Amino acid sequence: MNDIECEAPGVYPDELWDGEREEGWRAAEPGGREFHAGRALDGQPGGPVLGLAVSVTADGDLAGLSDNELLGAIAAAERVAGHAAWAASTLAAEYAKRNLEWDPKLGEEIIAEFGEEDYRQEVLLSGMAAKQNLTRALTLNRMPQCMRLARDGELSAYRQRVIAEETGLLDPALLARADELIAQDAAGRTPLSLRNY
């Protein structure tokens, strides 16, 4: 047997450790001031890095932030939520595709009953809501331009839902065209203006 001593992950040799400069992980994270217009986090795409910055800011001392900084942090939180909705939709679409079955009565593929039920139990929804979620996820999965915006946090969960509901019955060719048209300016539209697009 080898007598090799393994070092625990994340433990550094003494010669690499600088105790005077170690201030904790919070000191290394960007503060709320970075959400101010024109600063580092203003307009940064949604995702885990921005999510961490939003969480650290929300968990910190908010009294010292200006209204502009608070609004920037709120907008960033919305981008993080949009990114999370993109992730949930992408995962749900893959799950739905794995659980499609042919319905001879309808002459089309539908989401299998057991797949729908398992999803419903996992996310704690009614049967109807679960089916609608999976159906919307499948629609959005066929809209790569809109989903690129969603991935960057430019489309909130509700706006993603509106897009899916308004385009869900389109045939593939029209859906592809709708994806291009909607993605051109969807990031700047309210849910109501998306419905009326």
Side-chain angles (χ1 to χ4, degrees):
M1 198 172 213
N2 295 337
D3 291 332
I4 298 173
E5 197 173 308
C6 294
E7 199 174 291
V11 177
Y12 301 97
D14 289 342
E15 63 267 19
L16 298 178
W17 182 261
D18 184 352
E20 291 180 14
R21 297 184 66 200
E22 178 58 31
E23 299 173 303
W25 71 273
R26 283 185 181 267
E29 299 306 321
R33 304 213 179 281
E34 294 304 308
F35 291 108
H36 192 285
R39 300 294 298 269
L41 299 176
D42 178 43
Q44 180 174 332
V49 172
L50 187 62
L52 178 60
V54 167
S55 294
V56 169
T57 299
D59 199 32
D61 179 15
L62 302 177
L65 298 181
S66 69
D67 285 355
N68 190 301
E69 290 159 351
L70 282 172
L71 288 172
I74 291 167
E78 290 294 322
R79 291 194 302 279
V80 170
H83 175 83
W86 160 82
S89 182
T90 299
L91 295 167
E94 177 61 25
Y95 177 79
K97 284 190 277 188
R98 293 180 185 188
N99 285 277
L100 290 174
E101 65 182 14
W102 184 258
D103 184 332
K105 290 182 182 178
L106 295 175
E108 62 184 35
E109 284 186 316
I110 62 167
I111 300 164
E113 182 181 340
F114 290 116
E116 184 182 302
E117 178 62 17
D118 288 346
Y119 173 82
R120 182 196 72 74
Q121 289 179 11
E122 193 64 33
V123 296
L124 302 176
L125 292 172
S126 69
M128 180 63 73
K131 183 177 183 176
Q132 289 171 343
N133 265 15
L134 291 171
T135 301
R136 283 192 296 266
L138 286 171
T139 299
L140 289 170
N141 188 253
R142 294 189 295 264
M143 302 182 77
Q145 298 302 317
C146 286
M147 288 307 275
R148 178 186 48 78
L149 291 175
R151 184 176 189 270
D152 288 343
E154 296 299 322
L155 294 176
S156 67
Y158 186 59
R159 288 189 287 165
Q160 290 175 46
R161 179 179 176 162
V162 167
I163 290 168
E165 288 173 352
E166 294 300 315
T167 60
L169 297 178
L170 297 177
D171 66 52
L174 285 176
L175 185 62
R177 182 66 181 135
D179 180 36
E180 291 176 17
L181 291 173
I182 293 169
Q184 288 176 7
D185 65 351
R189 289 183 173 269
T190 65
L192 180 61
S193 69
L194 280 173
R195 280 198 192 281
N196 298 327
Y197 197 85

